[in-house]
């Protein structure tokens, strides 16, 4: 006769079997997680590569095409510093600084916009919605109309105003912490007041000041020069590098303050660094181009739909911002028959998307 196994032996066998099954399930889960991370990493890298190629292509096209066409060989000679008749002035003095500023300003707008949206966990929390761009524009118009400031002084005035408005909005929305919805609503109110002030300044402007002032109302790359381009480049190197250094911590804050703190993230310090860096980027870019509408607002949501979740959106949003400004400026200058500032084109693109987000939030019963 075969011996009957004891209850202890049966329980031990079941325990071993359960342990083996649990081990196989945990191993399979870990493998799925690793595979998912690899897919997201690959998707992120491919997206950055595609965006980079599109930016380079748009940059070259903006240098070659216009009212006069110059072949790529002439454009390349101009970029290398060689003297090319006619193309030397048109490409080297007019088109090259403009296209370079479009890329750098778009990079700054996209990077700063998604930083605010990620930090406050709200797609409406972009600098042009919460009043920072409006503050820089209002200060610039005031400086042009009433103080008769020139280009460099206007830019510095706009930078200081952008930083000051960001501080005011932050202080007004602080109640033992900064809630995204409260900051957005206060920012919208501050932006409305600043827009009214800007309209008053324009009503008092002399005819010869209106053209310069209107540039600050719409956002434009007209008159772009290497001085402004260099200023935006320096701010992008300083503030952009600082912001990118916080990308991992910023992504973890999406889990909530308590979870982020448990994972070792200094939430308050991270938010301070991100806020200062993003405001610096926006202020310097706005000082060079004026408030190019909705680029900071659009870049993050577009990047989220292309790249997906689980990866930082800072670099993809920056690339998309550069592409938006570059393409919108080219369309506004040469495609539509009449020349439009770049801010008009981006405004036409961004306004319907803003309405879509508000309607979507209302349908699901969410808050702004």
């Amino acid at each position: 006769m075969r011996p009957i196994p004891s209850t202890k032996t049966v329980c031990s066998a079941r325990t071993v079997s359960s342990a083996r099954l649990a081990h196989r399930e945990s191993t399979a889960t870990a493998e799925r997680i690793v595979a998912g991370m690899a897919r997201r990493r690959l998707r992120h890298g491919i997206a950055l590569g595609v965006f980079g190629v599109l930016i380079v292509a748009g940059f070259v096209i903006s240098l070659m095409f216009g009212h006069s066409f110059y072949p790529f060989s002439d454009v390349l000679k101009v970029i290398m510093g060689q003297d090319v008749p006619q193309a030397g002035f048109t490409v080297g003095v007019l088109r090259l600084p403009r296209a370079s500023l479009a890329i750098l300003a778009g990079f700054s707008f996209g990077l700063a916009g998604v930083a605010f949206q990620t930090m406050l966990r709200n797609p409406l929390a972009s600098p042009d919605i919460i009043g920072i761009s409006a503050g820089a524009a209002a200060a610039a118009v005031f400086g042009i109309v009433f103080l008769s400031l020139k280009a460099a002084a206007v830019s510095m005035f706009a930078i200081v105003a952008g930083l000051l408005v960001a501080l005011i909005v932050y202080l007004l929305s602080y109640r033992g912490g900064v809630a995204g919805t409260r900051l957005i609503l206060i920012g919208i109110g501050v932006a409305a007041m600043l827009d009214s002030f800007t309209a008053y300044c324009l009503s008092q402007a002399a005819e010869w000041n209106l053209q310069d002032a209107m540039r600050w109302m719409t956002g434009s790359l007209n008159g772009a020069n290497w001085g402004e381009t260099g200023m935006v480049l320096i701010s992008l190197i300083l503030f952009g590098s600082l912001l990118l250094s916080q990308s991992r911590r910023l992504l973890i804050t999406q889990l909530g303050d308590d979870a982020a703190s448990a994972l070792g993230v200094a939430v308050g310090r991270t938010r301070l660094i991100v806020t200062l860096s993003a405001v610096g980027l926006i202020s310097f870019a706005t000082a060079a181009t004026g408030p190019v509408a909705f680029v900071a607002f659009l870049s993050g949501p577009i990047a989220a739909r292309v790249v997906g979740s689980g990866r930082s959106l800072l670099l993809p949003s920056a690339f998309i911002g550069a592409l938006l400004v570059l393409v919108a400026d080219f369309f506004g200058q040469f495609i539509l028959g009449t020349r439009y500032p770049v801010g008009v084109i981006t405004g036409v693109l961004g306004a319907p998307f803003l309405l879509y987000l508000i309607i979507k939030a209302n349908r699901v019963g969410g808050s702004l």
Side-chain angles (χ1 to χ4, degrees):
M1 269 179 85
R2 296 175 61 185
I4 299 174
S6 64
T7 303
K8 184 177 180 180
T9 303
V10 172
C11 291
S12 178
R14 288 177 178 175
T15 302
V16 171
S17 178
S18 299
R20 288 176 178 173
L21 181 60
H23 176 70
R24 285 196 297 269
E25 289 178 350
S26 63
T27 301
T29 301
E31 289 175 351
R32 286 195 298 269
I33 292 173
V34 172
M37 292 175 62
R39 286 194 299 269
R40 287 192 292 270
R41 190 181 303 113
L42 178 63
R43 183 177 177 180
H44 187 269
I46 291 175
L48 288 181
V50 172
F51 292 149
V53 170
L54 291 176
I55 290 172
V56 172
F59 180 74
V60 172
I61 289 173
S62 66
L63 297 182
M64 293 173 59
F65 292 88
H67 292 301
S68 300
F69 171 78
Y70 298 99
F72 178 74
S73 57
D74 287 351
V75 170
L76 187 59
K77 289 177 182 178
V78 172
I79 294 176
M80 299 299 293
Q82 300 181 27
D83 185 19
V84 180
Q86 296 182 338
F89 177 78
T90 304
V91 176
V93 178
L94 299 180
R95 296 182 185 176
L96 188 57
R98 186 185 189 108
S100 301
L101 181 58
I103 292 175
L104 294 175
F107 223 91
S108 299
F109 286 130
L111 196 58
V114 78
F116 274 108
Q117 291 166 337
T118 304
M119 180 178 65
L120 298 174
R121 299 191 289 275
N122 194 313
L124 296 183
S126 69
D128 43 2
I129 300 295
I130 62 177
I132 298 174
S133 299
V141 172
F142 177 79
I144 292 171
V145 173
F146 292 105
L147 304 181
S148 300
L149 299 180
K150 300 305 178 184
V154 170
S155 297
M156 293 307 300
F157 205 47
I159 291 170
V160 173
L163 296 171
L164 183 60
V165 169
L167 178 61
I168 291 172
V169 171
Y170 182 86
L171 293 176
L172 289 176
S173 60
Y174 188 85
R175 295 290 185 277
V178 177
T181 302
R182 184 165 59 240
L183 184 142
I184 291 169
L185 293 177
I186 290 175
I188 290 174
V190 171
M193 290 189 292
L194 290 169
D195 289 340
S196 298
F197 176 73
T198 303
Y200 167 75
C201 293
L202 290 174
S203 69
Q204 303 298 313
E207 183 177 352
W208 54 85
N209 287 330
L210 276 176
Q211 184 175 359
D212 290 337
M214 287 303 297
R215 176 174 181 257
W216 285 95
M217 287 290 294
T218 58
S220 173
L221 296 171
N222 293 336
N225 56 66
W226 289 118
E228 294 173 337
T229 305
M231 178 182 67
V232 178
L233 176 61
I234 292 172
S235 75
L236 189 57
I237 292 173
L238 294 177
F239 296 115
S241 300
L242 187 59
L243 189 54
L244 290 174
S245 70
Q246 302 297 311
S247 61
R248 180 178 172 275
R249 299 182 183 89
L250 185 60
L251 188 62
I252 293 175
T253 60
Q254 290 284 85
L255 301 174
D257 293 355
D258 294 337
S261 298
L263 292 172
V265 175
V267 177
R269 179 174 175 271
T270 299
R271 282 181 173 165
L272 178 62
I273 294 174
V274 169
T275 300
L276 291 176
S277 302
V279 171
L281 287 172
I282 284 293
S283 298
F284 276 89
T286 304
T289 65
V292 182
F294 291 119
V295 175
F297 171 67
L298 288 171
S299 299
I302 294 175
R305 282 158 176 77
V306 174
V307 177
S309 60
R311 301 287 298 179
S312 173
L313 296 178
L314 292 181
L315 275 180
S317 298
F319 277 53
I320 290 173
L323 191 60
L324 281 174
V325 176
L326 191 62
V327 172
D329 183 59
F330 186 80
F331 266 75
Q333 292 296 302
F334 305 113
I335 302 299
L336 301 177
T338 302
R339 289 196 169 193
Y340 294 100
V342 62
V344 172
I345 307 300
T346 57
V348 170
L349 295 174
F353 194 77
L354 173 60
L355 294 175
Y356 163 74
L357 285 181
I358 294 175
I359 293 171
K360 183 180 178 181
N362 289 335
R363 283 180 177 175
V364 299
S367 64
L368 295 178

